[in-house]
């Protein structure tokens, strides 16, 4: 172990010393202890891409402060780390560098682990896991088979991105402007069979339980509620004018059914081709369907598109009016929502209104709001609100809400409709035609059909003796030693599934495995998960607000129903930290604005990097990178180091007991010390106000430096000065653990700073002897009053009005109003 040079702030030697101490002594190793209250702190685990970036630094530093603070509060803190280790980049690297994804992945894990350890993060490394190991994914495969037995896993045909040149399926992010990222050739939609998790079976519970997540940001809950997208309405059958069958629509506005003037269906709706047959519209419909399918593959899910459509040549009949309505294929209708068909009511739906104006289709008003009647000829936009029904047959004069129920009931009574609830949420497609993922534990037998792999034969291990094609096609599809197997039911030949699971599956339950990573008798040890779960505080980027967090919630409920867990929700509290911004945009290699954490740590030390990332912005806000801010954090730590190191003899000799009688300077420093404890405790206790907590410690440090300077008139009691130094070190220790541990040891403490309890403030010591009250006249500062803290409002008014400066500026005018803001200011209105 390197011995630090005590004459200067040798951060490299100090940090190496304490990093080695923590790792050697396993200082943060924990175990279940029913006699102690637990606290589970977890940051979203990283993909081992090669090196950590400043976003990682910020995320993990925030988590580490909370973990260290909670330990000092007496909690039994579990703070694990692992690796989300399957994924496409490993395959890309294997092809590019002629290596194996496992080799690339584990080399990256080793490097990034070293980087995280340099940051002084207080992880229990004995709980480390990597999701690409059979020891992990064997249990994931077991969950899959259990879910299959419960009817929560099924196969169906779905549309994927297909590159004909590469002969492989591409993820959405691999399609760039409609072309393959590898070969620049056009990507086409293709229908393929895939495996799905039935997340829709939990839609109601996932939605309802959002109300229980009071520790989550409201914006995240709103995003989840919108993604689940519960809609209550009616399903109505519109008979085809040809007399064969009907077009079933879903609407949340059955009260507007008399205003339907045309029908809109998704381009991929199965009736589109049938409706156009023999009408002369076949070619136009085929061209439109193919074009919109390709455009849909290229665009982002939330991207706005110009509304387009084509007349199919077919008609439906409105069962309420008998009107014959033309059917259009429209690019804004989603096959995934409702039935993939809607009745178009342009007077009362903005999308339909824009479409009707574009294609010169009729507009009929059937809901009139209070006030001036709506005129279809002059309407600039649809009226989507409520009102009174008009031109609606026997339902005319009903208000919208009553009409919704009456019209739905009528449709049900007549046998052409019913009430229905639909969801935007769709089942989770987990099949990936890639190599570097967990094999799906299913096989195909000509005699017995689709069969799950028996539990005794798990894990289905990903083979390592594979050769990668330049095209990127998975080698599993052609590797006989992998896919050839025997049927567990009849013993005959069978073919193993060669798709692998979506990597979101691994990250949907890893937090539970952290509770028992070495357990080998099953996926989860009941005693451990019952003690540690749920996660008390989860920290990660808001970009994971929907998929990862929703899938984790779903998986938790599934594992509960399978008997592995007793909790309903995985994460009690959620903090979504902002991005790190430099030169006006998010740090990225493509923008050339990346700051390498290694270079910063080499130059300033991990404590400086940690301090800056906490001080520069509140955690939920974006952090605007500032080189001067890093320099400022470094100077602040240097000042503390020099102050303590230069006064070691005095601090060693100082008594620990605070004298009963203190001079004014000592009282002032003692008071500031306890005020700072109160402030920092409040800022850290569930609020994550790290920047204001650090600012408060800086204020205490300035007070200490000022009152102990040689030129001061009064000498501060040594015991008071020592108490202030100790308080600064303790309060800063969660943020800058290496320097504070070193200085704590140097001032004579044998016990470790990590094991100390968090200090409590003394209310009497923190109480101000005098308050400074600002006095304003009509909003302008005119004087200041020094008053006792317990001065009541009537006394304050009297003192303010009697003040010489106040009387001068009032110029003899009477006070019309005197406003008192307690402990802060008085504003006199004349």
């Amino acid at each position: 172990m390197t011995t630090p040079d005590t004459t200067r702030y040798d951060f490299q030697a100090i940090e190496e010393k304490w990093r080695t101490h923590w790792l050697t002594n396993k200082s943060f190793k924990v175990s279940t202890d029913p006699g102690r209250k637990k606290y589970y702190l977890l940051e979203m685990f990283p993909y081992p891409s090669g090196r950590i970036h400043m976003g990682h630094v910020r995320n993990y530093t925030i988590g580490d402060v909370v973990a260290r603070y909670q330990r000092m509060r007496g909690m039994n803190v579990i703070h694990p780390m692992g690796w989300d280790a399957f994924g496409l980049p490993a395959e890309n690297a294997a092809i590019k560098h002629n290596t194996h994804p496992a080799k690339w992945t584990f080399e990256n894990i080793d490097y990034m682990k070293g980087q995280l350890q340099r940051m002084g993060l207080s992880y229990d490394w004995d709980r480390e896991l990597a999701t690409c190991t059979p020891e992990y994914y064997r249990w994931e495969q077991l969950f899959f088979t259990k879910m299959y037995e419960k009817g929560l896993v099924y196969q169906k045909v779905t549309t994927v991105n297909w590159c004909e040149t590469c002969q492989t399926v591409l993820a959405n992010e691999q399609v760039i402007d409609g072309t393959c990222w590898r070969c620049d050739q056009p990507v086409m939609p293709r229908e393929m069979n895939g495996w799905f998790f039935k997340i829709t079976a939990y839609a109601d519970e996932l939605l309802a339980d959002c109300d229980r997540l009071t520790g989550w940001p409201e914006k995240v809950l709103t995003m989840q509620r919108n993604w689940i997208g519960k809609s209550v309405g009616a399903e109505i059958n519109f008979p085809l004018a040809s007399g064969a069958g009907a077009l079933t629509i879903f609407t949340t506005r059955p009260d507007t059914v008399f205003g339907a003037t045309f029908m809109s269906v998704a381009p991929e709706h199965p009736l589109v081709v049938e409706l156009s047959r023999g009408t002369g519209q076949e070619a136009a419909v085929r061209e439109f369907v193919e074009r919109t399918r390709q455009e849909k593959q290229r665009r982002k899910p939330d991207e706005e598109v110009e509304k387009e459509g084509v007349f199919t040549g077919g008609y439906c009949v409105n069962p309420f009016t008998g009107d014959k309505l033309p059917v259009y294929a429209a690019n804004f209708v989603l096959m995934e929502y409702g039935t993939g068909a809607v009745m178009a009511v342009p007077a009362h739906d903005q999308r339909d209104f824009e479409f009707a104006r574009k294609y010169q289709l009729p507009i009929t008003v059937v809901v009139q709001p209070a006030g001036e009647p709506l005129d279809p000829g002059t309407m600039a936009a649809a009226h989507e609100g409520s009102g009174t029904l008009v031109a609606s047959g026997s339902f005319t004069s009903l208000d919208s809400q009553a009409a919704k129920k009456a019209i739905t009931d009528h449709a049900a009574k007549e046998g052409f409709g019913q009430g229905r609830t639909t969801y935007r949420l769709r089942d989770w497609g987990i099949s990936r035609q890639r190599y570097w993922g967990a094999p799906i534990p299913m096989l195909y037998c000509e005699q017995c059909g689709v069969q799950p792999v028996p539990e005794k034969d798990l894990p289905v291990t990903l083979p390592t003796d594979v050769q990668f094609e330049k095209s990127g096609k998975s080698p599993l599809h052609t590797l006989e030693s992998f896919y050839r197997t025997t049927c567990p039911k009849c013993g005959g030949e069978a073919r193993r599934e060669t798709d692998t699971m979506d990597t979101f599956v691994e990250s949907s339950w890893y937090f539970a495995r952290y509770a028992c990573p070495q357990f080998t008798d099953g996926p989860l040890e009941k005693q451990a998960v019952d003690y540690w779960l749920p996660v008390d505080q989860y920290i990660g980027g808001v970009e994971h607000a929907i998929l990862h967090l929703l899938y984790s919630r779903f998986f938790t409920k599934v594992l509960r129903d399978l008997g592995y867990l007793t909790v309903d929700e995985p994460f009690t509290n959620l903090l979504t930290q902002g991005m790190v911004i430099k030169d006006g945009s998010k740090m990225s290699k493509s923008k050339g604005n990346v700051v390498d954490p290694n270079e910063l740590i080499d130059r300033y030390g991990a404590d400086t990097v940690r301090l800056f990332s906490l001080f520069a912005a509140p955690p939920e806000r974006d952090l605007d990178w500032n080189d001067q801010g890093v320099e400022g954090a470094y100077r602040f730590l240097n000042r503390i180091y020099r102050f303590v190191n230069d006064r070691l003899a005095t601090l060693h000799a100082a008594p620990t007991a605070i004298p009963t009688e203190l001079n004014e300077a000592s009282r002032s420093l003692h008071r500031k010390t306890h005020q700072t404890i109160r402030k920092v405790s409040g800022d850290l206790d569930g609020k994550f106000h790290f920047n204001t907590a650090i600012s408060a410690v800086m204020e205490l440090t300035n007070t200490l430096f000022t009152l102990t300077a040689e030129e001061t008139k009064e000498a501060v009691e040594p015991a008071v000065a020592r108490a202030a130094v100790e308080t600064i070190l303790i309060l800063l220790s969660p943020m800058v653990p290496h320097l504070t541990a070193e200085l704590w040891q140097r001032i004579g403490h044998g016990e470790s700073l990590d094991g100390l309890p968090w200090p409590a403030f003394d209310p009497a010591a923190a109480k101000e002897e005098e308050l400074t009250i600002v006095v304003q006249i009509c909003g302008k500062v005119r004087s200041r009053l020094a008053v006792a803290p317990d001065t009541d409002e009537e006394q304050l008014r009297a003192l303010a009005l009697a003040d010489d400066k106040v009387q001068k500026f009032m110029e003899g005018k009477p006070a019309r109003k005197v406003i008192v803001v307690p402990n802060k200011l008085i504003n006199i209105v004349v």
Side-chain angles (χ1 to χ4, degrees), residues 30 88 96 124 153 192 214 280 285 293 338 406 463 490 616 648 736 792:
V30 290
L88 196 58
K96 184 177 180 180
D124 179 356
V153 177
M192 293 187 70
T214 56
V285 168
R293 283 180 70 190
C490 69
L648 288 178
V736 286
D792 63 30

Side-chain angles (χ1 to χ4, degrees), residues 319-340:
F320 284 89
T321 66
D323 292 343
K324 192 176 175 182
L325 307 178
V327 181
Y328 280 76
N331 66 344
F332 59 86
V333 181
L334 303 176
M335 192 64 213
E336 307 89 50
Y337 180 75
T339 64

Side-chain angles (χ1 to χ4, degrees), residues 70 204 238 295 318 337 344-345 356 376 381 402 408 450 500 599 689 695 779:
Q70 291 294 342
D204 274 326
F238 284 66
E295 289 172 352
N318 188 326
Y337 180 75
V345 186
T408 301
V450 179
T500 55
E599 294 179 5
H689 295 170
S695 181

Side-chain angles (χ1 to χ4, degrees), residues 43-346:
E43 307 98 5
M44 294 179 185
F45 65 169
Y47 178 77
S49 57
R51 57 181 55 220
I52 63 170
H53 52 67
M54 286 309 300
H56 289 131
V57 169
R58 189 183 192 202
N59 186 9
Y60 302 143
T61 300
I62 290 168
D64 196 54
V65 172
V66 178
R68 289 176 178 273
Y69 171 69
Q70 291 294 342
R71 282 192 200 96
M72 298 177 81
R73 292 289 304 273
M75 307 294 275
N76 191 24
V77 176
I78 180 175
H79 188 203
M81 174 50 68
W83 311 95
D84 192 8
F86 274 138
L88 196 58
E91 282 188 69
N92 299 342
I95 295 167
K96 184 177 180 180
H97 302 296
N98 193 28
T99 186
H100 194 280
K103 183 175 184 293
W104 183 86
T105 298
F106 284 108
E107 286 177 352
N108 288 348
I109 287 175
D110 288 344
Y111 185 80
M112 292 176 68
K113 182 176 180 179
Q115 288 185 294
L116 295 180
Q117 289 174 342
R118 282 193 77 188
M119 288 296 302
L121 303 169
S122 59
Y123 294 128
D124 179 356
W125 285 107
D126 283 359
R127 296 179 183 270
E128 181 184 13
L129 57 81
T131 60
C132 64
T133 63
E135 291 77 17
Y136 182 85
Y137 66 72
R138 67 173 293 191
W139 305 120
E140 189 171 302
Q141 292 173 339
L142 178 63
F143 296 151
F144 185 103
T145 60
K146 296 290 187 184
M147 291 169 70
Y148 180 77
E149 292 168 4
K150 291 281 189 179
L152 293 172
V153 177
Y154 65 95
Q155 270 186 310
K156 75 172 182 178
V157 174
T158 186
T159 303
V160 297
N161 304 310
W162 179 259
C163 176
E164 184 66 26
T165 304
C166 296
Q167 287 288 294
T168 189
V169 171
L170 303 177
N172 287 337
E173 60 268 22
Q174 293 174 299
V175 182
I176 302 171
D177 297 328
T179 64
C180 174
W181 68 282
R182 285 196 186 101
C183 66
D184 292 327
Q185 295 303 304
V187 172
M188 304 297 291
R190 173 184 267 199
E191 291 186 339
M192 293 187 70
N193 212 21
W195 289 98
F196 286 78
F197 284 161
K198 200 172 182 181
I199 190 173
T200 52
Y202 288 82
D204 274 326
E205 188 181 356
L206 288 166
L207 183 63
D209 284 357
C210 283
D211 295 338
R212 297 171 52 191
L213 299 176
T214 56
W216 285 38
E218 189 55 41
K219 65 179 179 181
V220 174
L221 294 174
T222 298
M223 292 167 77
Q224 293 222 349
R225 290 185 182 109
N226 291 342
W227 189 263
I228 296 167
K230 184 177 183 179
S231 298
V232 178
E235 198 172 77
I236 302 173
N237 297 322
F238 284 66
L240 298 180
S242 64
L247 185 63
T248 302
I249 65 97
F250 172 78
T251 178
T252 59
R253 293 293 305 271
D255 55 316
T256 67
V257 68
F258 285 82
T261 60
F262 62 98
M263 309 294 285
S264 299
V265 297
E268 59 268 46
H269 193 287
L271 281 178
V272 167
V273 174
E274 181 183 330
L275 287 166
S276 67
R277 189 172 293 125
T279 65
Q281 286 292 101
E282 295 101 320
V285 168
R286 275 198 308 270
E287 186 278 329
F288 177 77
V289 169
E290 189 60 31
R291 176 165 56 85
T292 53
R293 283 180 70 190
Q294 292 185 37
E295 289 172 352
K296 184 179 178 182
Q297 295 297 115
R298 295 171 188 165
R299 69 174 182 258
K300 298 174 182 176
D302 57 350
E303 185 180 340
E304 285 289 327
V305 295
E306 182 183 352
K307 294 163 186 63
E308 289 187 285
V310 64
F311 176 45
T312 64
Y315 292 85
C316 283
V317 177
N318 188 326
F320 284 89
T321 66
D323 292 343
K324 192 176 175 182
L325 307 178
V327 181
Y328 280 76
N331 66 344
F332 59 86
V333 181
L334 303 176
M335 192 64 213
E336 307 89 50
Y337 180 75
T339 64
V342 297
M343 64 178 194
V345 186

Side-chain angles (χ1 to χ4, degrees), residues 503-769:
T503 56
F504 273 114
V505 180
E506 284 85 66
S507 60
S508 294
W509 71 283
Y510 77 107
F511 47 87
R513 184 64 181 172
Y514 275 144
C516 49
Q518 279 85 42
F519 188 59
T520 58
D521 294 338
L524 299 171
E525 184 182 19
K526 181 171 175 52
Q527 180 185 2
V529 293
D530 285 353
Y531 177 75
W532 290 117
L533 291 180
V535 174
D536 294 284
Q537 182 65 60
Y538 199 37
I539 302 173
V542 74
E543 66 271 17
H544 301 293
I546 297 175
L547 295 184
H548 164 58
L549 292 172
L550 189 65
Y551 292 158
S552 296
R553 295 182 62 215
F554 161 64
F555 234 78
T556 298
K557 295 175 189 301
V558 170
L559 295 182
R560 174 203 63 196
D561 291 347
L562 292 176
Y564 293 109
L565 296 177
T566 57
V567 297
D568 299 319
E569 289 287 340
F571 315 120
T572 303
N573 298 290
L574 173 68
L575 172 65
T576 54
Q577 93 280 357
M579 297 183 296
V580 180
I581 305 294
K582 188 172 187 287
D583 303 329
S585 59
K586 180 183 177 181
M587 284 188 181
S588 70
K589 291 179 181 178
S590 62
K591 293 188 175 77
N593 63 349
V594 170
V595 175
D596 186 351
N598 274 8
E599 294 179 5
L600 281 177
I601 294 172
D602 289 341
R603 185 174 180 183
Y604 299 104
D607 281 343
T608 292
V609 176
R610 289 171 61 117
L611 186 67
F612 169 75
S613 68
L614 295 165
F615 184 61
E620 69 278 3
R621 300 274 298 275
D622 289 345
L623 186 158
D624 197 354
W625 185 263
N626 185 309
D627 292 335
Q628 289 73 34
V630 180
E631 290 279 359
Y634 182 62
R635 286 195 301 272
F636 173 66
L637 296 184
N638 265 280
R639 290 180 68 204
I640 291 175
Y641 177 85
R642 288 196 302 269
F643 181 89
V644 174
N645 203 60
D646 291 349
R647 293 164 176 78
L648 288 178
T650 304
L651 292 169
H652 275 279
T656 55
I658 304 293
T660 305
E661 297 295 326
L662 297 174
N663 59 33
E664 185 177 342
S666 298
R667 285 199 310 275
S668 179
L669 180 56
H670 188 55
R671 180 168 57 248
K672 188 67 172 177
T673 298
H674 284 270
Q675 289 174 344
T676 305
I677 296 171
R678 179 177 61 192
K679 170 65 175 168
V680 174
S681 300
D683 284 345
L684 295 188
D685 200 10
K687 297 178 182 177
F688 311 112
H689 295 170
F690 307 119
N691 55 333
T692 54
I694 293 168
S695 181
V697 178
M698 288 177 171
E699 288 183 20
L700 173 59
T701 304
N702 289 336
T703 301
L704 172 66
F705 290 179
T706 300
L707 294 177
T708 56
E710 291 182 2
E711 61 271 16
T712 53
K713 297 178 181 177
E714 279 187 319
V716 172
E717 288 284 348
V720 173
R722 180 185 173 94
V725 168
E726 290 177 337
T727 298
I728 289 169
L729 297 181
I730 293 172
L731 298 184
L732 279 181
S733 64
M735 293 89 155
V736 286
H738 307 89
L739 175 61
T740 52
E742 178 66 21
L743 294 180
W744 184 258
Q745 186 181 73
R746 290 193 194 181
I747 62 176
H749 289 287
E751 77 276 23
S752 170
L753 187 55
D754 303 312
L756 285 184
W758 188 257
F761 75 94
D762 180 348
K767 188 176 181 179
E768 287 282 0
E769 293 180 359

